[in-house]
Amino acid sequence: MNPIYERSDVVTVRPAHPGDAEAVRAIRNHAIEHSTALWTETPQSPAEGAVWFAAHLERGSALVAEVAGEVAGFAAYGPWRELTGYRHTVEDSVYVREGRQGLGIGSALLAALIASAREAGHHVVIAGIEAENTASVRLHERFGFEHVGTVREVGTKFGRWLDLTLMRLPLGRDGDAGGTTTD
C-alpha cells in the first residue's frame, strides 16, 4: 500500500496563543524566503513577528494546526481594507510548514478559519493569491471561493512580475450589508 494512505497523523486545529508566535514566524519567514506567497523579501524580525501576531491574537483571528504536538501550519484573517465601509470583509492567510503539504492541514485550517470568520459576523472572505499558486487556488475553490479577477503585474519578487488572483467567499445568509448599524 502507498505510505501516504497509511498516515495516522491527526491534525488538530485550535486558536493560536502567544506561545505559538515563534513557530508561526518561522513558517512565515520560510514563505518569505522561498516562495511568492508573501510579497516581501525581508523576513520578519522577532519584534515585527510579535506585533503582527499580537494583532491577530487580539482580534481572535489566528488559528494553528498541530500534528504530533508540532505547529504544522497557521491561518489568520484580518481587515481587507482599513476604511469602515469594508469592516465586514476580511482577507485570509493559510500557510503550512514546509514538508507538511498534502496532508490535509491547509483544508483543516481553512475550514476552521471560515467558521471563525462567520461566527465573528463577517460577511465576505477575500483571498489574494499569487496567480501561479495553483495549490492555494484549488484549496479555496474546494471551499466555495469564486474567482473574481486577476490583476496583472501588481507585485514583484525574485526579479519577476507577479499577478494577483482575487477570490471571494460570501459568508452572510441573507445578503445584507450589516443592517442599519452605524458602527
Side-chain angles (χ1 to χ4, degrees), residues 35-111:
S35 79
T36 55
L38 285 161
W39 294 6
T40 181
E41 294 170 351
T42 306
Q44 279 188 322
S45 69
E48 292 165 333
V51 169
W52 179 88
F53 197 58
H56 286 288
L57 292 177
E58 185 177 319
R59 252 191 319 272
S61 63
L63 305 169
V64 297
E66 288 185 337
V67 175
E70 172 193 51
V71 174
F74 77 92
Y77 65 80
W80 183 51
R81 304 287 258 334
E82 295 298 328
L83 298 174
T84 60
Y86 298 105
R87 70 189 172 278
H88 300 290
T89 301
V90 293
E91 183 173 6
D92 76 331
S93 297
V94 178
Y95 292 89
V96 176
R97 181 181 295 280
E98 181 65 25
R100 292 295 197 163
Q101 294 89 352
L103 302 176
I105 296 166
S107 292
L109 283 164
L110 187 53

Side-chain angles (χ1 to χ4, degrees), residues 3 5 7 15 18 23-24 29 33 49 58 82 85 92 94-95 100 115 126 145 149 174 176:
Y5 297 111
R7 291 190 184 275
V24 168
N29 279 346
E33 294 168 359
E58 185 177 319
E82 295 298 328
D92 76 331
V94 178
Y95 292 89
R100 292 295 197 163
I126 298 290
F145 282 74
D174 59 6
D176 71 53

